[in-house]
Amino acid sequence: MSEAVSGAVPPGVGTIVVGNFPLSSGQWIPAHSHPQHHQLAWTRRGVLGVAVGDTYWVLPPTRALWLPAGVVHRTGATRDAVLHSLYLEQDRCRLDWREPTPVGVDGLLAHLIDHLNRKDLADDARLRAEAVVLDLLHPLPITPIDVPQPVDERVRAVADALLADPADPRNLDAHARAIGVSRRTLTRLFVHDTGMSFDRWRMHMRLRAALPLLAEGQSVSNAARSVGYATPSAFLAAFRRVVGTSPRHYLNGNVISKAHDTPSPQ
C-alpha cells in the first residue's frame, strides 16, 4: 500500500464540491485521506471498490460510501468507471458520521450530484441542492465482508495464492505442504495472524471476490464458479451464513437478518 497522503480537494463554492475522476479497470488511487473534508464516493457506471485497512466495500451505482474526514482509504474500479466524489466541509456539514458508512443512491440523489457538478450554478441554488442531498443520505444496514491481511510471510504466501485464484481447490494440507510447514502449524498461524480459521478466511475471501462480479451483472452461477463454489446453492448458503441475506439484497442495501458466520460446504 502506498504511504497515506492528504488528498487534494477541488476548490468550489458552498459546503459540497463534486470531483470527477475516470478510473480504468483495475486502476487504484493510492492510499490517502482528506483531513478537512468528508467524502461521498459514488459511480454512475461500473463498480467501485473502496478499501479502509482490511475492510473493503463494493459500490455499484445504487450505493455510495461516506468516508469521514481523515480516514485513510484507497479507491479503485473493477471495470471502467468514473468516481464521483462529493467533498463536504467538515466544519460546515451537519452530518458527522464517525465511521465509513454505505448509503443508497436513487434517481433523485444521482440527479442532484449532476446538478451540483454544474459550473454555472448560482450560489443560492447550490445551497438549496446541498440541503436536499444531506436529507437524502441514509445509512444502509450493511456490514462489509472483512478479509484480514496476514503479516506472517508463510500465511501471506497462502493468502496471496488464494487472492490470485479464489477458485484454487487446494485444501489446508496442500497449502501447508506448499509452504513447508505442517497442517497443525498452518492452522495455528492462520488463526494467530488473521483471527480466522483457514476455512473461514477463504470463505470470506471468496464471497468478497464474487461481489464485484455480481455487481457487474454476472449470474450467481458464473460468480459462484469463478470463486470456487461447485454449485450456486452452496455459494448462496455461504453468503447467507456470513451476511444474513442474499447477494441481491446485499447489493441493494437490504440486509434482513443477523448473519451466522460458520463455514459451509464449498
Side-chain angles (χ1 to χ4, degrees), residues 15 39 50 68 73 76 111 129 206 217:
T15 303
Q39 180 185 3
V50 178
H73 60 281
H111 284 304
R206 285 177 165 176

Side-chain angles (χ1 to χ4, degrees), residues 13 114-128:
V13 177
D114 285 342
H115 186 62
L116 288 171
N117 195 35
R118 289 174 50 183
K119 305 303 181 186
D120 60 346
L121 197 60
D123 289 354
D124 57 346
R126 177 173 295 278
L127 293 176
R128 288 194 299 270

